[in-house]
Amino acid sequence: MDNIVVNLTVNGQSYRGETRPNQTLLYLLREDLGLTGTKDGCSEGECGACTVLLDGEPVNSCLVLAGQADGREVLTIEGLAQNGALHPVQRAFVESAAVQCGFCAPGLIMSSVALLKRTPNPTAGEIRTALGGNLCRCTGYTKIVEAVQRAAEELKHG
Amino acid sequence: MQEFYFESPPTLDEVCRRLSDTGGRLIAGGTDVIPQMQTGRFQADWLIDLSRVTELSYIAPKNGSIQIGGLTNYIKLINSPLLQAEGPLLVQAAELVGAVQTRYRGTLGGNIANASPAGDTLPPLLALNAAVTLVSTAGGRTIPLADLLQGPGQTALAPNEVIHHISFDRLPANATSIFLKLGNRRGMAISVVNVAVLLQVDQDNRVEEARIALGAVAPTPIRCPQAEAILKGQPLTETLIEATAESAKQECSPIDDVRASAGYRQHMVKVLVRRGLQMLGNKG
């Protein structure tokens, strides 16, 4: 199988690389780019630990082939903090005690960032539906919902 | 995952050409193809990516019908004012497929081509009497969805055919519809039973048209012609709804699997058909 060349923008930076056709975006990020914040929880698009934003849309990066990400923009957990300062959603997760082992957190945070962009004032029900593709085995989700509500408040007041 | 050659042609013509030349298979959103490639259930030496053929992502009226391009993803279906007005049961189904991440990638054409007996958009499309238009280097053809779905994971698609669009006739103003899904979770769940009901009731509460489609309870999603016949021309009463739901229960042939037993599925067909009819009856 011939290698393919992909050009994409990751966290605002252009990346060009050669990779195998059966490489997923998840492993392009983790292995070729060293961005290990995005996790592999299930390899089958069920758990959401691999969630990144692809052209602003939350997707399971384990279900995107590297070749399908060619020419597109990817935002990962590493791309959220600006100048060393945590993104409001990251900060809210920390302050709301919504992180225990932390494995689900990057995916949950990316899904939450996407939610708040499209629905700045989500109800608790809307939050739970939006995060339905992200599994957490530690927290029971209550603090996660609180974190998103906290972040929504903060983003509203800028 | 197995090794394969990968191409991402920018036009439909080129996709069709390369599909024929290589004997390869299509990938669009990848939400079924990639997990199945991981387990070896789906195999391909060449993978032809459809995702750049953006002309196939659309929802539009055309000559008294609604057309949906095969590459249209669930988010687009959900957010479409046209589809919310003209095919609410399909929108309701799209809202319940997988989770948000699935819905940004998965496509209507993919749900059809994957042909899961539990595919959530399929009972709504059957209730809408949808037809599917296919294209390839050999030309094009349009066939009813009911004829395209042939068994679990099996369709009448030729290896080099691409689903161009799905179409259904616009519904009359007094048509109401609903989609109900039973799953083991409220999100990211494969349907244990799903039900699509479409009704047209006149001002005397008489049923002009009734369409009932079931999923996950037969080798393919099915319509319930006997249940529909019970309703047609009759006033919509509790007794009639009960008889209709019982008939639907008899018309399906579920199996035991990891998600549920056949008996439970059969029982829940009756519950959901009754519930769907009651909910639509209360709207009118």
Side-chain angles (χ1 to χ4, degrees):
Chain A
M1 110 190 122
D2 295 338
N3 276 358
I4 54 172
V5 174
V6 294
N7 290 283
L8 50 152
T9 307
V10 181
N11 299 331
Q13 304 227 324
S14 296
Y15 168 77
R16 177 192 159 86
E18 197 177 310
T19 189
R20 301 181 328 275
N22 63 357
Q23 176 79 296
T24 59
L25 175 60
L26 172 61
Y27 278 92
L28 181 86
L29 293 168
R30 289 183 58 83
E31 292 182 348
D32 297 12
L33 281 158
L35 295 171
T36 54
T38 309
K39 310 300 184 193
D40 182 353
C42 71
S43 306
E44 55 182 28
E46 296 273 335
C47 76
C50 69
T51 304
V52 299
L53 301 193
L54 183 64
D55 290 341
E57 299 175 342
V59 301
N60 292 318
S61 58
C62 71
L63 296 185
V64 178
L65 292 177
Q68 293 181 305
D70 184 43
R72 306 186 68 172
E73 281 187 28
V74 178
L75 186 66
T76 74
I77 189 74
E78 290 93 345
L80 286 186
Q82 298 293 323
N83 303 318
L86 289 180
H87 186 283
V89 172
Q90 288 173 303
R91 195 164 52 246
F93 267 66
V94 171
E95 290 172 357
S96 297
V99 181
Q100 290 186 28
C101 82
F103 199 79
C104 71
L108 263 162
I109 289 168
M110 297 316 291
S111 285
S112 301
V113 168
L115 166 66
L116 293 177
K117 237 181 235 159
R118 64 178 185 265
T119 310
N121 283 309
T123 63
E126 285 171 328
I127 294 171
R128 285 178 180 274
T129 299
L131 302 185
N134 290 86
L135 299 180
C136 172
R137 296 292 279 131
C138 295
T139 67
Y141 302 103
T142 302
K143 305 309 259 175
I144 290 170
V145 174
E146 281 179 23
V148 177
Q149 290 168 327
R150 187 188 200 119
E153 263 307 304
E154 196 197 307
L155 285 167
K156 222 189 330 183
H157 298 124
Chain B
M1 209 185 332
Q2 65 156 110
E3 299 189 346
F4 48 81
Y5 291 91
F6 176 86
E7 288 181 12
S8 197
T11 68
L12 179 59
D13 277 348
E14 218 173 310
V15 165
C16 290
R17 234 181 354 96
R18 293 305 289 156
L19 209 52
S20 286
D21 290 346
T22 62
R25 301 189 68 175
L26 285 167
I27 184 170
T31 56
D32 283 317
V33 168
I34 293 180
Q36 291 175 23
M37 288 195 94
Q38 300 278 21
T39 63
R41 175 180 156 180
F42 181 108
Q43 298 185 342
D45 294 326
W46 285 83
L47 219 48
I48 310 293
D49 178 29
L50 252 181
S51 54
R52 297 192 196 280
V53 187
T54 51
E55 78 190 67
L56 290 182
S57 173
Y58 68 92
I59 303 162
K62 191 157 185 185
N63 301 333
S65 68
I66 303 295
Q67 275 191 16
I68 305 173
L71 201 62
T72 310
N73 71 22
Y74 297 103
I75 296 293
K76 198 157 178 171
L77 294 175
I78 291 163
N79 291 336
S80 160
L82 180 63
L83 203 57
Q84 288 162 14
E86 301 290 337
L89 71 176
L90 185 57
V91 170
Q92 289 168 32
E95 287 170 337
L96 294 173
V97 171
V100 169
Q101 293 94 323
T102 326
R103 297 195 277 270
Y104 271 106
R105 296 289 293 167
T107 65
L108 191 61
N111 207 216
I112 292 170
N114 189 52
S116 163
D120 290 325
T121 66
L122 305 180
L125 289 175
L126 287 180
L128 289 165
N129 288 330
V132 186
T133 299
L134 311 169
V135 295
S136 72
T137 48
R141 60 184 180 129
T142 298
I143 78 175
L145 176 65
D147 294 344
L148 188 61
L149 302 170
Q150 301 203 325
Q154 292 162 34
T155 68
L157 283 167
N160 66 345
E161 275 181 315
V162 178
I163 294 174
H164 187 279
H165 65 268
I166 298 93
S167 57
F168 57 89
D169 289 340
R170 288 182 103 126
L171 298 167
N174 67 340
T176 58
S177 65
I178 194 166
F179 174 80
L180 296 174
K181 171 173 178 169
L182 176 69
N184 289 332
R185 286 172 298 284
R186 290 170 83 174
M188 196 53 91
I190 295 177
S191 286
V192 166
V193 174
N194 59 28
V195 169
V197 181
L198 195 148
L199 273 189
Q200 264 172 265
V201 177
D202 70 18
Q203 56 253 53
D204 300 317
N205 199 38
R206 220 161 263 278
V207 176
E208 290 176 322
E209 175 83 358
R211 303 183 203 159
I212 298 172
L214 308 176
V217 290
T220 68
I222 56 169
R223 288 275 292 271
C224 299
Q226 286 153 45
E228 294 172 6
I230 290 174
L231 283 172
K232 194 139 184 202
Q234 302 301 320
L236 190 65
T237 61
E238 272 304 316
T239 320
L240 198 73
I241 289 175
E242 181 69 23
T244 305
E246 177 62 36
S247 174
K249 174 181 174 177
Q250 301 306 327
E251 286 177 79
C252 66
S253 51
I255 58 171
D256 296 331
D257 71 9
V258 293
R259 284 176 287 280
S261 68
Y264 177 64
R265 287 181 145 117
Q266 210 141 23
H267 177 85
M268 289 312 295
V269 161
K270 181 167 178 177
V271 170
L272 291 185
V273 170
R274 179 170 54 216
R275 186 179 299 170
L277 286 168
Q278 284 170 343
M279 289 169 82
L280 290 182
N282 290 338
K283 265 195 237 176

